[in-house]
Amino acid sequence: AEAIDPESSEVQSYRGELLFTQNEFARAKEQFEKAMKLEPGNPTPYVNAALAELNTPPQPGQQMQMAQEACRLLEEAIKADPQFQAAYVQLGQLKLGMATDLESARNVIKLYDQGLSYCRTKEEMKDLCSMRMLTQAQVDAANMLKMETFSMQ
C-alpha cells in the first residue's frame, strides 16, 4: 500500500498501530507523527501518538514531561476535530490523574461538558456522561472531606 501511495496518512497510522500492538511504542509514535504531518485534520493519529507516549516506559524523572506531551497531543486531536469523543475521554482521564487541586479536577468536568456538546451518538454521550459523573463524584467527595488537594492518596 505504501508503494502505491507513500503519502497516505492511513498507511502510516496502520503501521503505527501494528507497532503499538508489538509494544514498539517509540517506533509507533514516529509513524503516528508521520500520519499527523500528512493529514493534520485527522484526530486519530494524535490520540494514538498520545497513547504510545503514555505506554512508553519513562526514563527516570521524565514521567510528568511525557504526560504533558500526551496532553498536548490530545488537545491537538480536539483542535483537529472537536467532535472526536475519544480525545475527550483520554484527555480527561489523563488530566484527572495529574490533578493536584480541586480546580484542576473541576476543569476536567468542564472538558467533559465541552465534549458533551459535540457528541454525535447516544453511545458517545453515555460514555462522556459516565466519565463526567465519576469525576464530579470525586470532586464532591473531596469537598465533603474538606480536602485541600485533590490527590486521594
Side-chain angles (χ1 to χ4, degrees), residues 40-148:
N42 180 356
T44 303
Y46 293 95
V47 172
N48 289 340
L51 295 174
E53 181 76 15
L54 291 171
N55 281 283
T56 301
Q59 298 294 319
Q62 295 296 311
Q63 191 169 2
M64 183 56 76
Q65 182 180 343
M66 293 172 78
Q68 290 170 340
E69 171 64 5
C71 282
R72 184 192 69 76
L73 289 163
L74 292 166
E75 288 166 351
E76 288 296 320
I78 291 170
K79 284 182 194 171
D81 182 358
Q83 294 182 319
F84 198 61
Q85 181 238 8
Y88 290 99
V89 170
Q90 294 295 329
L91 183 58
Q93 288 177 329
L94 183 56
K95 285 190 171 196
L96 187 61
M98 295 169 57
T100 56
D101 57 68
L102 289 174
E103 189 57 34
S104 296
R106 286 186 193 103
N107 286 336
V108 172
I109 295 169
K110 291 177 186 174
L111 174 71
Y112 289 141
D113 286 340
Q114 177 187 344
L116 283 165
S117 71
Y118 290 111
C119 285
R120 294 177 271 211
T121 67
K122 286 182 182 180
E123 194 62 36
E124 286 180 355
M125 186 170 282
K126 179 182 165 189
D127 289 345
L128 277 177
C129 278
S130 294
M131 299 305 298
R132 186 195 186 286
M133 289 178 359
L134 290 169
T135 304
Q136 184 67 60
Q138 288 180 307
V139 169
D140 291 347
N143 277 327
M144 287 177 13
L145 295 169
K146 299 190 183 332
M147 295 171 64
E148 302 267 331

